[in-house]
Amino acid sequence: MMTSKQLQTLHSVDTGQTADCVEWCHAESYSHMFVCATYQLQQETSAETRKRIGKITLYHIDSACGKSLEAQHVLACSGVLDSKWSPAPLDGSPALACALSSAEVMLASVRDGRLVETQRFPIGDDVIALSLDWAPDTPSRVIVSDSRGRLSVCDTAGAGCGVTQQWQAHDFEAWIVACDRWQPALIYSGGDDCKLKGWDVRVMPAAPAFVSKHHTMGVCSIQSNKQREHLLATGSYDENILIWDRRNMKVALSETHIGGGIWQLKWEPLFGEHLLAACMHNGFHILDCTRLAGNMIVRMVTL
């Protein structure tokens, strides 16, 4: 079993503001780049005038040895709650979608080593965009969750970009939304009402395809496994990571108590056998998910 002592820190960067998401660009010619997005509530002003600010920094890392890390460009904006790269290039370059505290979705593309804002559209009034994901089968479609518990299907193509479908999904904040990597019409959402839900966007989602109440606190992270069909990981403020077979959402395949709310989950992209968890109060963990029976997940590394 690997331990944290066997890991080597290559770089350490002060982001200046609270960093809440990091995303590697998976486009073939841009895989040496990643973005780090931040969210900060200004404290030096009164509560009435306090603003949520943020920025997105594009980093370049030496792909051969990782010894060189350089901040290529910084794009200032309102607070960023989530960001995702498009699964396919848009207009010939990678596109980044960002969920903003200003109730907007912002799109940016990489041009000459810089992040350039290309579009911005609202998802509602007096809300915070909390999470988003790209539809795997439609390069121009983005699904967004917000602080009122709603989900929005958005079209990013052309001059008429914006919300095309919106519904009330949760009683409180919808912390997370994620698309299934194998069934493009199926999306998942998690909310502060402690519920994990599935939705079929081929029909008007007046009712969810399923509702799970297995988590005992707010559900704030969900990710479908791109390499292993039917496999789904969820995390919650209850400090537990659940692994599911989406064909049976009544009983989880495995449950692991990590400690600290599970803010982000990422499957290892090549084989999908390991899961990276970012916890709010307990660092980072890598879980071995090669065997999934009962509580067979093994904690490998605590960072």
Side-chain angles (χ1 to χ4, degrees):
M1 180 182 297
M2 187 183 296
T3 68
S4 58
K5 293 182 180 179
Q6 295 174 274
L7 298 178
Q8 179 184 2
T9 299
L10 297 178
H11 303 281
S12 180
V13 177
D14 184 355
T15 60
Q17 300 170 352
T18 303
D20 54 4
C21 60
V22 174
E23 293 286 335
W24 283 97
C25 184
H26 39 69
E28 184 175 353
S29 300
Y30 298 85
S31 58
H32 59 287
M33 292 183 175
F34 67 91
V35 292
C36 176
T38 65
Y39 171 97
Q40 193 78 31
L41 184 63
Q42 289 182 317
Q43 299 293 339
E44 62 270 16
T45 58
S46 64
E48 292 77 13
T49 59
R50 204 169 284 168
K51 293 183 179 180
R52 297 177 176 90
I53 60 173
K55 61 183 178 180
I56 307 162
T57 305
L58 178 66
Y59 287 94
H60 174 285
I61 192 166
D62 187 315
S63 57
C65 59
K67 292 183 178 180
S68 173
L69 178 68
E70 180 183 356
Q72 292 281 100
H73 185 244
V74 179
L75 182 61
C77 53
S78 58
V80 184
L81 281 297
D82 196 12
S83 64
K84 295 286 193 310
W85 292 101
S86 59
L90 297 180
D91 298 326
S93 63
L96 182 74
C98 302
L100 302 183
S101 61
S102 54
E104 295 172 304
V105 172
M106 181 181 71
L107 299 184
S109 64
V110 179
R111 297 176 182 173
D112 299 323
R114 296 170 58 88
L115 274 177
V116 179
E117 180 180 339
T118 57
Q119 291 182 5
R120 186 185 293 225
F121 55 87
I123 60 166
D125 297 324
D126 194 27
V127 296
I128 297 175
L130 295 177
S131 175
L132 52 75
D133 200 7
W134 292 87
D137 64 333
T138 308
S140 62
R141 192 172 69 190
V142 174
I143 319 294
V144 188
S145 69
D146 68 39
S147 56
R148 288 189 180 179
R150 300 176 304 184
L151 298 183
S152 302
V153 178
C154 306
D155 186 3
T156 66
C161 63
V163 176
T164 60
Q165 193 176 13
Q166 189 176 78
W167 68 96
Q168 194 69 40
H170 294 272
D171 298 331
F172 305 107
E173 291 91 340
W175 291 118
I176 183 69
V177 64
C179 296
D180 191 276
R181 298 296 105 183
W182 297 80
Q183 295 288 335
L186 180 60
I187 63 174
Y188 307 100
S189 64
D192 212 43
D193 53 8
C194 311
K195 295 176 183 177
L196 167 66
K197 296 185 179 183
W199 308 89
D200 188 338
V201 296
R202 292 172 296 185
V203 296
M204 178 59 187
F210 70 82
V211 179
S212 171
K213 300 179 182 179
H214 195 109
H215 284 292
T216 58
M217 298 182 72
V219 180
C220 46
S221 53
I222 303 171
Q223 194 171 68
S224 170
N225 193 313
K226 190 176 181 180
Q227 304 301 328
R228 301 166 71 184
E229 190 174 2
H230 311 304
L231 215 58
L232 182 73
T234 64
S236 166
Y237 289 123
D238 66 10
E239 305 185 353
N240 292 309
I241 294 176
L242 303 182
I243 306 297
W244 304 85
D245 184 326
R246 62 169 168 79
R247 295 169 295 184
N248 180 14
M249 294 301 295
K250 294 182 179 180
V251 181
L253 293 175
S254 183
E255 181 172 350
T256 304
H257 184 80
I258 294 297
I262 317 300
W263 178 247
Q264 293 274 8
L265 291 171
K266 296 286 186 185
W267 287 106
E268 178 270 316
L270 294 180
F271 304 104
E273 295 181 346
H274 295 85
L275 184 68
L276 176 64
C279 305
M280 299 176 190
H281 306 293
N282 197 29
F284 296 84
H285 304 268
I286 299 175
L287 306 184
D288 184 348
C289 301
T290 53
R291 295 187 298 166
L292 294 170
N295 292 313
M296 293 304 294
I297 292 181
V298 179
R299 185 181 306 177
M300 291 185 62
V301 184
T302 300
L303 306 178

